[in-house]
Amino acid sequence: MVEIEVKPEVSTALPGGRKPSKNGRGPDSLGGILAKIILLGITDAVAAFVLFQLALSAEWLIFGISLLTTVAINWIYLRRGGLPAKYLAPGVIFLMVFQVFVMIFSTYIAFTNYGDGHNSTKADAIASIQLSASERVPDSPQFPTSVLEKDGSYFLLVTTPEGEAKLGGAEDPLHAVTPSTTGPTGAATGVEGYGTLDFATLLQHQAEITSLSVPISANPEDGSLKTADGSTSYVYTPKLKYDANADTFTDTATGTVYSDDGRGSFVAADGTHLNTGWKVNVGLENFERAFTDPNLQGPLLKVIAWTFGFAILSVATTFALGLFLAITFNKADLKGKKFYRILMILPYAFPAFLSGLVWSGLLNPEFGFINNALLGGAQIPWLTDPVLSKVSVLMVNLWLGYPYMFLVCTGALQSLPEDVDEAARMDGAGAWKIFTAIKLPLLLVSLAPLLIASFAFNFNNFNVIFMLTGGGPRFDGTTFDIGSTDILITMVYKIAFGTGTGRDYGLASALAILIFIIVAAVSALSFKKTKALEDLN
């Protein structure tokens, strides 16, 4: 009898119960390990650079969050197992950075006075006031000067009455340097590593150079040097003297005292305040201001009404035209349907902001193709009349939006069962009755969520408004740059980044929160109502 030796089976399973890849691919193959090392190395290198910059700027809260995120990324991808976390981690990180952080930061800004003149700390504001509010010192000595440039920044190279060469910039107080070149009078004219501006270049950048103020030392009280012609500098000292003990500024010419009002500004007894302030928490003031400031209240209510009107009419007109064309081109016996459908979706292929610019030129009252070529030179103010500009915006948005509705309606129509249509005809129903009593309700079951999404999109349809009319024509009786065709999102953009009363990030963030609340409430209510349509199935 022959005995068969049974050898114990050698397990090839990896820790965690996983089996090695048969084709040499996968996370545990040599290629997978190398790819993991390279990608994690790049991620850690970028994180180290960001952490270093955050530490230099003393942003310790963001530094801590970034450090924990970096450690978590390394822990997720270096440990064995946890495959779901490895797939979810990138999406979660981007969600936190681009959605959650933006919402939290916008909410924080909405409760501050952050904007022009209030964009830094109180210490920075005091230093800025001391530098900007300055006047020339009587009998100030002349400093022979050359203007130098490096990395897009300008510097003054001066020669003191004692013959010492000193160099400084807007953020760099004067310090002694060794000149590389000197002029016939012995004055320094160049420093190695810097470019000396010639007369033609001085003229081209005259505004930047004349506004350049170079601190004499780290103490703003010592004054600064300024030049008017690029060849001679003079000493300027602060016109406003700061008293650190009293926390006040005093105008040396008039004796007016400016005190901290606790709201991020130095204010005099007569109510005048210095232009430069600092960022402070103002509570609900921005929200109250939106509905109580006479300069903003009226335009805001008009903009809210037009925003709803624009969104509702845009959805209604694009859906009506798209559905009509979808039914028309869904006829079985229609020839050339593919060609017609290609023509229908062409507007959908153009970028909306580019189409807005093109239509802005076509509708130009004086030089546009519509007035000159189609209407025989008529002077119709398509973009400058309050009513016609709204009509123009709706028509252009109809041209841009109906292809989308045409596509979704075509797909929904082709999914409807044909036997329902035939049964209705056998019962004697006409075409209109079949459409209103059968097809349209069935279409709304699948299209209602898309219509709600379209409403939310048009509620914030920035491109067509801003590129076509810029929000104009502008309202009278307000200093804000707000016009008849502005919707809430373009109004927020102008307040945050536009002209008029200056940039006001706090007010813009408060309005952005209001937009979010309105859109969320309308969408939630609409989705609740559309549940009734599900009973049709």
Side-chain angles (χ1 to χ4, degrees), residues 195-211:
T196 303
L197 271 62
D198 55 23
F199 182 70
T201 310
L202 282 173
L203 292 179
Q204 293 175 2
H205 302 278
Q206 187 176 12
E208 298 101 307
I209 293 168
T210 54
S211 63

Side-chain angles (χ1 to χ4, degrees), residues 270-289:
D270 60 357
T272 58
H273 61 84
L274 301 179
N275 292 330
T276 304
W278 59 96
K279 186 172 63 176
V280 295
N281 191 339
V282 296
L284 296 173
E285 183 178 303
N286 287 321
F287 296 91
E288 297 174 1
R289 183 183 167 197

Side-chain angles (χ1 to χ4, degrees), residues 18-339:
R18 291 173 296 129
K19 294 182 178 180
S21 174
K22 294 180 179 179
N23 55 9
R25 300 178 180 176
D28 295 312
S29 65
L30 179 59
I33 294 174
L34 288 175
K36 185 188 299 184
I37 293 173
I38 293 173
L39 292 176
L40 274 180
I42 294 174
T43 302
D44 289 344
V46 173
F49 174 77
V50 173
L51 290 171
F52 181 72
Q53 297 298 323
L54 291 173
L56 289 179
S57 56
E59 298 287 350
W60 298 115
L61 177 60
I62 303 178
F63 176 88
I65 295 174
S66 301
L67 180 62
L68 290 176
T69 304
T70 305
V71 172
I73 291 174
N74 282 271
W75 177 73
I76 289 173
Y77 288 100
L78 289 177
R79 73 189 181 107
R80 296 189 181 279
L83 192 60
K86 292 177 180 177
Y87 280 105
L88 291 175
V92 172
I93 291 173
F94 284 119
L95 175 68
M96 297 295 291
V97 172
F98 295 109
Q99 292 289 333
V100 177
F101 172 75
V102 171
M103 292 176 61
I104 294 175
F105 187 72
S106 297
T107 303
Y108 161 69
I109 294 298
F111 291 89
T112 69
N113 62 346
Y114 189 30
D116 276 351
H118 299 274
N119 52 17
S120 188
T121 63
K122 184 176 181 179
D124 292 338
I126 293 172
S128 175
I129 293 171
Q130 289 176 315
L131 285 177
S132 59
S134 59
E135 59 183 359
R136 181 179 169 182
V137 176
D139 301 327
S140 165
Q142 295 184 358
F143 291 80
T145 301
S146 293
V147 181
L148 309 185
E149 184 272 339
K150 183 180 182 182
D151 299 331
S153 299
Y154 297 105
F155 300 84
L156 296 184
L157 175 62
V158 301
T159 303
T160 66
E162 295 78 19
E164 185 181 13
K166 290 189 174 182
L167 178 70
E171 306 294 336
D172 186 16
L174 283 178
H175 57 279
V177 293
T178 301
S180 59
T181 59
T182 57
T185 60
T189 57
V191 175
E192 187 175 354
Y194 295 79
T196 303
L197 271 62
D198 55 23
F199 182 70
T201 310
L202 282 173
L203 292 179
Q204 293 175 2
H205 302 278
Q206 187 176 12
E208 298 101 307
I209 293 168
T210 54
S211 63
L212 178 62
S213 180
V214 178
I216 292 178
S217 69
N219 183 6
E221 294 286 343
D222 294 338
S224 58
L225 287 183
K226 292 184 179 181
T227 181
D229 55 7
S231 62
T232 306
S233 298
Y234 297 94
V235 178
Y236 286 72
T237 55
K239 180 183 176 184
L240 295 168
K241 291 286 186 181
Y242 179 66
D243 185 344
N245 295 325
D247 194 19
T248 58
F249 272 103
T250 302
D251 191 322
T252 56
T254 64
T256 305
V257 177
Y258 297 87
S259 305
D260 183 354
D261 65 348
R263 302 175 61 81
S265 297
F266 284 103
V267 181
D270 60 357
T272 58
H273 61 84
L274 301 179
N275 292 330
T276 304
W278 59 96
K279 186 172 63 176
V280 295
N281 191 339
V282 296
L284 296 173
E285 183 178 303
N286 287 321
F287 296 91
E288 297 174 1
R289 183 183 167 197
F291 295 99
T292 57
D293 186 348
N295 195 32
L296 182 62
Q297 181 185 28
L300 176 60
L301 295 177
K302 293 179 182 177
V303 168
I304 291 176
W306 165 240
T307 304
F308 274 99
F310 171 73
I312 294 171
L313 289 174
S314 293
V315 174
T317 54
T318 54
F319 177 68
L321 183 58
L323 179 59
F324 172 76
L325 293 174
I327 293 173
T328 303
F329 292 109
N330 200 43
K331 297 291 184 182
D333 55 348
L334 181 65
K335 296 181 180 179
K337 286 192 291 186
K338 292 183 179 179
F339 175 74

